[in-house]
């Protein structure tokens, strides 16, 4: 079985989904092949940080924003995550996705995506800042070069693949090429999906 996971580093539900997938996999005798795929929620986003995620939620959801923010925080906490929407500032994630691909190329994709998610959602780091990305790279892949154009094609290929597979939002799981399903289900539900 092959499971493709589409995610964007800016998405708190992707961080939650990653935790739940890990819990689901822990209960499987024969884990499937896992392939993480890039998906930018806002490819046109600025590389300069603006309002926090919490403030942006107010712009999108109005009076419903406090309840949605609280739901994200509580859900994350229940899965062992500290989601600081008041610190995280949405930015363009293309270079962060390229770094994620560098990690995959060196067998450290899981560690790289985890570190990027924590840097953004917990620490409020600017993932469009080359210096921040360089520090993350050095933590996970010390001494490995990260050229300016590295893995750009691979990120775009994932995004084209997402469109072809019908992925419209993240986190999304594509299991053996079937229709995408939500990656924010309970671990038990994900485990059932991954059990032949």
């Amino acid at each position: 079985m092959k499971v493709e996971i589409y995610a964007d580093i800016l998405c708190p539900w992707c961080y939650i989904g990653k935790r739940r997938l890990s819990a689901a996999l822990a209960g499987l005798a024969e884990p499937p092949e896992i392939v993480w795929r890039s998906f930018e929620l806002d490819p046109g986003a600025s590389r300069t940080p603006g309002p926090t995620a919490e403030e942006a939620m107010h712009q999108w959801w109005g009076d419903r924003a406090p309840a949605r923010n609280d739901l994200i925080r509580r859900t994350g906490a229940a899965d062992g995550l500290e989601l600081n929407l008041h610190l995280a500032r949405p930015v363009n994630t293309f270079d962060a996705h390229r770094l994620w691909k560098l990690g995959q190329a060196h067998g450290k994709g899981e560690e790289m995506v985890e570190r990027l998610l924590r840097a953004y959602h917990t620490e409020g780091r600017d993932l469009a800042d080359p210096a921040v990305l360089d520090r993350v790279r050095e933590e996970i892949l010390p001494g490995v070069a990260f050229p300016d154009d590295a893995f750009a094609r691979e990120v775009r290929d994932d995004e084209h693949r997402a469109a072809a597979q019908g992925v419209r939002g993240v986190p999304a799981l594509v299991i053996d090429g079937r229709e995408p399903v939500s990656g924010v289900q309970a671990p038990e539900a994900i485990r059932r999906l991954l059990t032949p």
Side-chain angles (χ1 to χ4, degrees):
M1 179 180 286
K2 178 178 180 178
V3 179
E4 296 169 90
I5 306 156
Y6 288 89
D8 190 5
I9 296 147
L10 294 187
C11 171
W13 294 109
C14 291
Y15 203 3
I16 293 165
K18 182 177 184 298
R19 275 291 184 278
R20 293 182 176 183
L21 176 66
S22 293
L25 292 172
L28 293 179
E30 293 184 31
E33 175 190 359
I34 302 293
V35 180
W36 286 89
R37 301 243 184 241
S38 295
F39 186 103
E40 292 175 278
L41 286 168
D42 187 3
S46 172
R47 292 180 179 275
T48 303
T52 66
E54 187 172 77
E55 292 164 343
M57 294 273 281
H58 277 282
Q59 294 171 2
W60 303 331
W61 299 104
D63 292 343
R64 293 177 293 163
R68 293 185 75 89
N69 284 326
D70 186 56
L71 173 65
I72 290 169
R73 281 193 194 94
R74 284 187 292 105
T75 305
D79 286 293
L81 301 173
E82 181 183 344
L83 301 176
N84 292 318
L85 301 174
H86 64 292
L87 297 178
R89 293 181 181 275
V91 288
N92 188 290
T93 57
F94 184 70
D95 288 339
H97 280 283
R98 291 192 311 106
L99 182 57
W100 171 3
K101 292 293 182 189
L102 177 73
Q104 286 178 324
H106 289 270
K108 297 280 189 177
E110 182 79 15
E111 294 92 330
M112 187 67 79
V113 72
E114 177 71 25
R115 184 62 187 101
L116 289 165
L117 287 164
R118 183 165 46 90
Y120 178 74
H121 292 286
T122 303
E123 300 166 3
R125 302 285 181 92
D126 175 3
L127 294 187
D129 182 343
V132 170
L133 294 178
D134 195 54
R135 284 193 294 274
V136 170
R137 179 206 47 77
E138 189 63 24
E139 285 180 37
I140 306 300
L141 296 171
V144 174
F146 182 42
D148 288 344
D149 59 349
F151 299 98
R153 189 185 79 247
E154 288 81 354
V155 173
R156 293 297 182 226
D157 286 349
D158 278 359
E159 293 173 340
H160 292 310
R161 186 179 181 92
Q165 291 180 316
V167 175
R168 302 285 177 260
V170 290
L173 306 177
V174 175
I175 302 168
D176 284 339
R178 299 193 294 265
E179 289 290 315
V181 296
S182 171
V184 189
Q185 301 180 54
E188 299 77 22
I190 296 173
R191 193 175 299 122
R192 283 194 296 273
L193 291 171
L194 303 182
T195 304

